[in-house]
Amino acid sequence: MLGAMNRYLFASLAILLGLSLHGQAVAAIYKWVGPDGKIVYTDQPRPGAKEVELPKFPPPPPAKPAQADKATPDKKADTTAEPAFPGYKKVVLVKPEEDATVRENSGVVEVALELEPAWDPKLGHKITVSLDGKNLPETYTAPQFQLQNIDRGSHSLQVTVNDAKDVPLSTSNSVTFHMKRQSVNFVQKNPMMAPRVDPPDTLLQPFLSAPK
């Protein structure tokens, strides 16, 4: 009988203490003895009941926010990534100059660009050339290059800088130049106008090393 009564008391106290631990509003607990001699605990006051002093527990800690899945990539921007290329502020043809005359029998034309910002080969940018309004098939990966076998006469030249995916970034100014090439017939008829070709040193060596 006593064991059953003790189990009943412990169960009642456990329920009330559990409510207080979980933040339930329990103003007070009262103890009184029933007609059958059993001790009863309740939260309702009644005549003859005595208030039980409960131990004071600290409030429960706030719930922690759910942790993100480690497999989920961080949505924040990668501060270590290189900034996007801002574009060229300046793309200017400095060679050949405007209205320049190029005297080259083989038809080679030197081309040079002035860029701002400076050329960075790591970006993989490419240069395409428009000659007399027609795009040449070649692409160039440096701001100084040569055009080969350009015909005699006046030509207009313009270049475009493209990114690594061949998307145009900026186009230069247009320059007009004049190519002067001597024809084979002209040289045959005017041998004195032919370019001077010096003999190689191997042919001159016997004469240079001969004793005086």
Side-chain angles (χ1 to χ4, degrees):
M1 180 72 177
L2 183 58
M5 183 180 296
N6 288 336
R7 286 194 296 271
Y8 176 78
L9 294 176
F10 290 152
S12 301
L13 281 174
I15 293 173
L16 294 173
L17 288 175
L19 292 174
S20 64
L21 285 174
H22 284 81
Q24 300 281 347
V26 179
I29 298 176
Y30 301 92
K31 180 178 72 173
W32 58 280
V33 180
D36 55 357
K38 294 181 180 180
I39 299 175
V40 179
Y41 292 91
T42 180
D43 59 348
Q44 299 294 328
R46 58 178 296 163
K50 293 182 180 181
E51 184 176 352
V52 178
E53 183 178 355
L54 297 175
K56 295 182 179 180
F57 297 96
K64 295 182 180 180
Q67 295 183 353
D69 188 359
K70 293 183 179 180
T72 303
D74 189 1
K75 294 183 180 180
K76 294 182 180 179
D78 185 4
T79 56
T80 61
E82 295 183 0
F85 182 71
Y88 289 100
K89 299 179 181 178
K90 183 178 182 182
V91 178
V92 178
L93 272 170
V94 295
K95 192 174 183 180
E97 298 180 355
E98 175 64 30
D99 203 31
T101 298
V102 180
R103 301 181 184 277
E104 174 60 55
N105 281 344
S106 60
V108 174
V109 178
E110 299 285 344
V111 180
L113 296 175
E114 182 179 348
L115 302 169
E116 184 182 345
W119 184 266
D120 185 356
K122 296 179 181 179
L123 297 176
H125 291 176
K126 307 171 188 177
I127 298 172
T128 55
V129 177
S130 174
L131 186 67
D132 300 330
K134 297 180 180 180
N135 293 329
L136 301 184
E138 298 84 0
T139 59
Y140 304 90
T141 57
Q144 296 86 27
F145 54 91
Q146 292 181 339
L147 300 180
Q148 304 290 332
N149 198 27
I150 303 302
D151 293 334
R152 292 192 304 272
S154 298
H155 302 280
S156 62
L157 176 67
Q158 194 172 34
V159 301
T160 299
V161 182
N162 309 274
D163 65 10
K165 297 181 180 179
D166 295 326
V167 177
L169 297 175
S170 187
T171 301
S172 74
N173 56 312
S174 179
V175 170
T176 299
F177 68 95
H178 313 282
M179 171 60 71
K180 300 294 184 181
R181 299 178 64 174
Q182 293 179 354
S183 66
V184 176
N185 294 333
F186 178 84
V187 174
Q188 291 176 350
K189 293 179 181 179
N190 302 273
M192 297 301 296
M193 298 296 293
R196 176 183 175 182
V197 179
D198 294 327
D201 293 341
T202 54
L203 297 178
L204 298 177
Q205 189 66 31
F207 301 99
L208 296 175
S209 60
K212 295 182 180 180

